[in-house]
């Protein structure tokens, strides 16, 4: 069965849905760098159903981001169906993704996210209800299980496939693991063996080489990258080159990193408002873009205090000035 992503490379690279990070500005930067597909951060179906403005804003995207999936979560099949219907009608993404993986307490307490994994009948009802409410493909993203005792990604995956999911993304950790330990890529390989629908591998891809390793190790149909893309959208460019059998492009130097960081910041200002709040929320990205640079911690300390993008630009210029003299 084919992946529901038009115009993607044969082995698509997907930017992971990440609350507070994979918002429109970062999605656009990653698409520009070679990510084939992007997904919104998870949106509460209850909040969508109640037309909560801030949640609906999370479903907005620009044409250049396509193909895009909007991700929803919740434990009430009716609310999930209503949310899927509204997203389909008003935003028309390429697909709707259901989050069955979120480990955050406030979400799982109400059986949202990975909380659903404790009740697979509920999971089945939710998937079927969402499919019934939209003409768009419905994909799912989940973890390997609730805890070590109930860890059984193959059964979970088969159940989700039978319910009608069009693609299955596995973050190969349990809920109780949160982000500790390593993602178990062997589990992804086992799920690939067992399913007919495409399986997307996710968890601990930190470099372009890891993308190639993930494909070789698991036989997955595509790779999803989360934290590895923080401040490093070049990972997508590099992985596309390696997958195509081309040479690895030269690593982004400080000038290139600052250029992209500022382009990203300007997108944030345009799309999220020219406000102090936008800049403060953006500080984390500024920090990530400096990772690995000489003097990064000092640079980061200063960037974490900026209140305007002009201040960040000045810090970058200041950093580059002595380098320019040497050159
Ligand atoms: C800050 C952050 C926010 C996240 N938000 C979501 C989310 O909204 N929906 C979701 O399905 N997964 C979410 N995740 C999980 C990621 O999509 C991904 O499955 C996980 O980070 C493992 O991939 P990685 O090792 O490449 O980061 C989030 C992860 C992080 C670090």
């Amino acid at each position: 069965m084919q992946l529901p992503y038009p115009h993607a490379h044969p082995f698509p690279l997907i930017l992971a849905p990440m609350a507070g990070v994979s918002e429109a500005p970062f999605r656009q930067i990653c698409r520009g760098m070679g990510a084939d597909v992007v997904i919104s951060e998870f949106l509460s179906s209850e909040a969508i159903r109640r037309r909560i403005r801030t949640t609906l804003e999370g479903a907005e995207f620009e044409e250049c981001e396509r193909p895009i999936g909007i991700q929803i979560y919740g434990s009430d099949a009716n609310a999930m169906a209503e949310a899927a219907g509204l997203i389909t009608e008003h935003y028309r993404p390429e697909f709707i993704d259901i989050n069955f993986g979120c480990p955050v307490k406030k979400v799982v307490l109400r059986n949202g996210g990975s909380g659903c994994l404790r009740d697979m009948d509920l999971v089945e009802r939710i998937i079927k209800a969402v499919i019934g409410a939209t003409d768009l493909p419905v994909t799912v993203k989940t973890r390997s299980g609730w805890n070590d005792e109930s860890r059984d990604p193959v059964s979970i995956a088969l159940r989700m496939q039978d319910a009608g999911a069009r693609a299955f993304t596995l973050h190969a950790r349990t809920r109780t693991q949160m982000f500790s330990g390593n993602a178990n890529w062997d589990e992804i390989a086992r799920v690939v063996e067992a399913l007919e629908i495409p399986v997307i591998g996710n968890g601990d891809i930190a470099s372009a080489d890891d993308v190639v390793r993930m494909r070789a190790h698991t036989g997955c149909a595509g790779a999803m990258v989360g934290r590895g893309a923080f401040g490093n959208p070049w990972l997508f460019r590099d992985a596309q080159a390696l997958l195509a059998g081309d040479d690895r492009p030269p690593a982004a130097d400080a000038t290139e990193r600052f250029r992209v960081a500022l382009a990203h910041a300007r997108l944030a200002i345009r799309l999220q408002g020219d406000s102090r709040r936008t800049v403060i929320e953006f500080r984390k990205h500024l920090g990530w873009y400096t990772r690995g640079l000489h003097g990064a911690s000092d640079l980061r300390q200063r960037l974490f205090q900026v209140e305007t993008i002009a201040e960040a630009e000045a810090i970058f210029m200041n950093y580059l000035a002595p380098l320019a003299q040497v050159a």
Side-chain angles (χ1 to χ4, degrees):
M1 205 187 271
Q2 282 217 318
L3 280 164
Y5 316 142
H7 314 300
H9 287 93
F11 183 80
L13 304 181
I14 302 148
L15 174 67
M18 287 184 287
V21 181
S22 63
E23 299 159 313
F26 191 49
R27 295 195 303 254
Q28 295 190 13
I29 290 288
C30 290
R31 282 285 287 127
M33 287 282 182
D36 292 282
V37 183
V38 294
I39 303 181
S40 75
E41 55 189 354
F42 72 158
L43 306 176
S44 153
S45 53
E46 292 290 351
I48 295 173
R49 163 195 241 182
R50 283 186 277 124
R51 315 284 199 275
I52 305 291
R53 190 178 52 84
T54 46
T55 304
L56 292 178
E57 279 169 10
E60 287 172 7
F61 59 87
E62 299 202 318
E63 285 303 300
C64 61
E65 296 175 46
R66 293 182 183 279
I68 182 168
I70 300 295
Q71 190 187 63
I72 58 175
Y73 76 95
S75 58
D76 177 323
N78 291 329
M80 288 290 279
E82 208 179 304
L86 193 146
I87 295 289
T88 305
E89 194 183 331
H90 290 284
Y91 302 97
R92 282 223 70 86
E94 272 63 35
F95 61 101
I96 291 182
D97 189 62
I98 306 179
N99 174 310
F100 289 120
C102 181
V104 176
K105 203 163 179 186
K106 118 176 168 218
V107 172
V108 297
L109 277 179
R110 293 203 235 123
N111 268 344
S114 58
C116 290
L117 297 178
R118 289 173 296 187
D119 182 351
M120 289 306 292
D121 291 337
L122 174 63
V123 164
E124 186 181 325
R125 281 201 303 283
I126 289 174
I127 297 174
K128 287 186 168 162
V130 169
I131 291 172
T134 179
D135 60 333
L136 298 171
V138 175
T139 61
V140 294
K141 175 170 180 287
T142 188
R143 289 186 167 232
S144 298
W146 174 255
N147 56 20
D148 259 350
E149 292 74 61
S150 62
R151 187 169 192 145
D152 188 359
V154 171
S155 301
I156 291 172
L158 284 170
R159 198 75 192 267
M160 292 183 179
Q161 171 177 273
D162 289 348
R166 286 277 302 278
F168 176 86
T169 300
L170 183 63
H171 174 197
R173 281 190 175 87
T174 61
R175 188 275 165 174
T176 47
Q177 272 185 295
M178 304 294 275
F179 281 92
S180 67
N182 295 327
N184 184 337
W185 290 9
D186 292 343
E187 281 180 342
I188 299 174
R190 285 207 288 280
V191 172
V192 169
E193 281 276 301
L195 292 202
E196 280 159 41
I197 57 171
V199 174
I200 307 297
N202 171 236
D204 299 347
I205 293 177
S207 66
D209 297 285
D210 286 344
V211 170
V212 178
R213 280 202 312 118
M214 166 72 87
R215 181 170 72 163
H217 190 95
T218 68
C220 60
M224 179 182 283
V225 183
R227 293 163 297 164
F230 289 1
N232 186 20
W234 296 274
L235 186 154
F236 293 107
R237 176 199 67 174
D238 295 353
Q240 293 293 6
L242 298 188
L243 291 168
D246 296 336
D247 289 343
R248 185 193 306 270
D253 61 9
T255 309
E256 165 72 353
R257 291 203 212 180
F258 296 163
R259 184 187 68 75
V260 172
L262 290 174
H264 185 173
R266 287 187 199 104
L267 276 173
I269 296 286
R270 177 167 73 75
L271 295 164
Q272 297 174 329
D274 190 353
S275 69
R276 188 169 169 272
R277 179 157 177 243
T278 301
V279 177
I280 287 171
E281 301 233 326
F282 196 77
R283 286 174 180 170
K284 59 180 182 283
H285 289 287
L286 292 172
W288 289 330
Y289 278 109
T290 65
R291 267 201 306 218
L293 289 180
H294 180 71
S297 75
D298 177 50
L299 197 51
R300 203 163 39 240
Q301 252 175 21
R302 279 186 288 144
L303 288 167
F304 277 171
Q305 288 166 29
V306 301
E307 302 205 351
T308 63
I309 294 308
E311 285 171 47
E313 196 166 359
I315 292 171
F316 288 156
M317 298 294 276
N318 205 17
Y319 181 92
L320 293 175
L323 299 180
Q325 275 164 18
V326 173

